[in-house]
Amino acid sequence: MRSLEKENSVIEELMKGEEKVNMLVSFFPDEKAKELLREVRSSIMKAISVFNESSEVSEVCQESDRRSESTGRKRKGVTVKEGKGGSRRRMSSFPSRKVVAKTAEDGFSWRKYGQKEIFGSSSPRSYFRCTHKHDRNCQATRQVQKSEEDPSMYVITYMGEHTCKDPINATSQLLASAPHHASSCLISFASGNNGENIELPFGPFSSLKQENDEEVLSNMTSGSSPPPEFTTFEQMLPEMTPEETSGFDCSNSDCLDLGMIQGFFDFDSIINQEAMFPN
DNA sequence: AAAATTTGACCCTA
DNA sequence: TAGGGTCAAATTTT
């Protein structure tokens, strides 16, 4: 096994551990126990960040679309079309971003395609894909679940890249997704800050949306502690449930190139600001 | 009528 | 085999 593979393997195991710790937290009513678990989680996150410093996570799991060719399975007595349905390969190493926010709204147009009860979680997880999945071949998806620690908050995990763009929501899109463009800065945050919390000084937008508490927990798959404050655009919108927000439509206007979006922010200068990565 | 959501089936990974 | 992600028919909403 090559050393990079070893590293990835270690990171993977650490993440599993961190996930389990997250689950455990909900099982312990005692605050002291919770605090201890949070410390364990913090240590794991630090260990992960040490690896992330040396090995960049750039590998994108291409959707291999390995659905079984045809099983002719049935649904409520109806034969399902060949090649339809079923699940896809789990994107274990997909560069996802986990965010905690008051609202599940992020300025994108999402279409809900599923909901599941999650083992060990009190609230179900909702699955969304971009509304423009088909008309613009947009592969972005997200999962929304109420936070275990604070049910008034939503834990949102973004996956995939928005290849659809919308001028009205371009800025919030930038903040919410586009992993290989806009959010590359978010990935940089984590690695540049050893996974600790970072405050995002999005100056011009602070005045637009002041009360937002979206928090970027990680560029990978798990959270850091404590989470950073994160001011974003979408907080101008009223608070909505994941169900309600799924109907939010950003499709009235047409596409905008991300390059133009990047014109709003000088990411390099933002990333390079030392103030963003206090030690 | 069209679009969005709900929900159970299906299937992959661990 | 359990848990989780996705599909798509059925149902609801716009």
Side-chain angles (χ1 to χ4, degrees):
Chain A
M1 199 188 246
R2 286 161 33 215
S3 69
L4 185 60
E5 288 171 333
K6 277 184 184 172
E7 281 187 17
N8 287 335
S9 169
V10 171
I11 291 172
E12 200 171 311
E13 290 306 313
L14 285 169
M15 284 177 165
K16 282 182 195 168
E18 192 265 345
E19 246 180 68
K20 299 290 180 276
V21 171
N22 276 338
M23 283 181 173
L24 270 176
V25 170
S26 60
F27 290 133
F28 287 90
D30 181 60
E31 269 307 314
K32 282 247 171 178
K34 280 187 175 180
E35 188 52 45
L36 275 173
L37 286 170
R38 288 193 191 103
E39 282 176 25
V40 172
R41 188 177 66 176
S42 176
S43 295
I44 293 174
M45 290 310 298
K46 280 176 184 166
I48 291 173
S49 69
V50 167
F51 279 99
N52 281 339
E53 275 178 3
S54 54
S55 61
E56 191 110 359
V57 181
S58 57
E59 175 192 353
V60 175
C61 177
Q62 299 291 346
E63 193 166 0
S64 49
D65 205 356
R66 283 231 220 115
R67 69 171 56 137
S68 64
E69 282 309 300
S70 67
T71 52
R73 48 188 180 282
K74 296 178 179 175
R75 180 188 170 81
K76 288 183 183 174
V78 177
T79 303
V80 176
K81 285 182 201 163
E82 302 272 320
K84 298 273 185 175
S87 65
R88 295 166 191 263
R89 169 179 291 265
R90 197 163 298 159
M91 296 184 234
S92 57
S93 61
F94 200 97
S96 61
R97 285 201 311 114
K98 194 183 277 188
V99 161
V100 177
K102 264 186 193 168
T103 165
E105 180 50 53
D106 58 15
F108 281 101
S109 178
W110 298 103
R111 175 82 163 267
K112 189 174 183 177
Y113 65 83
Q115 180 171 308
K116 290 284 276 191
E117 296 294 331
I118 301 302
F119 184 79
S121 295
S122 54
S123 55
R125 178 177 298 164
S126 297
Y127 298 87
F128 298 85
R129 63 164 172 79
C130 180
T131 300
H132 308 298
K133 174 174 181 168
H134 296 122
D135 59 318
R136 295 182 200 174
N137 194 32
C138 184
Q139 298 299 313
T141 62
R142 73 170 187 176
Q143 299 174 1
V144 178
Q145 190 172 12
K146 283 203 168 180
S147 169
E148 289 293 319
E149 293 176 24
D150 184 358
S152 68
M153 304 291 280
Y154 295 102
V155 178
I156 309 169
T157 306
Y158 292 93
M159 286 157 293
E161 177 180 6
H162 270 288
T163 51
C164 67
K165 299 127 196 171
D166 185 279
I168 283 182
N169 302 285
T171 49
S172 51
Q173 287 185 21
L174 174 66
L175 298 174
S177 187
H180 306 307
H181 298 275
S183 69
S184 61
C185 67
L186 297 171
I187 291 171
S188 298
F189 293 161
S191 61
N193 199 38
N194 289 346
E196 292 302 324
N197 312 311
I198 304 148
E199 186 163 349
L200 256 189
F202 279 134
F205 296 94
S206 302
S207 59
L208 292 171
K209 306 195 72 181
Q210 297 185 348
E211 61 200 359
N212 193 8
D213 322 285
E214 186 173 312
E215 301 163 339
V216 174
L217 295 184
S218 169
N219 65 310
M220 299 293 287
T221 55
S222 44
S224 59
S225 64
E229 295 297 320
F230 197 55
T231 303
T232 62
F233 212 57
E234 55 270 25
Q235 304 214 325
M236 290 188 296
L237 298 162
E239 190 162 330
M240 301 163 100
T241 66
E243 288 71 29
E244 289 167 331
T245 67
S246 68
F248 185 83
D249 189 10
C250 68
S251 60
N252 292 338
S253 37
D254 233 78
C255 297
L256 182 71
D257 197 285
L258 268 173
M260 174 177 167
I261 300 167
Q262 285 186 294
F264 287 115
F265 306 104
D266 181 353
F267 288 115
D268 290 337
S269 67
I270 291 174
I271 292 166
N272 290 334
Q273 284 178 33
E274 266 193 19
M276 293 193 59
F277 310 114
N279 280 319

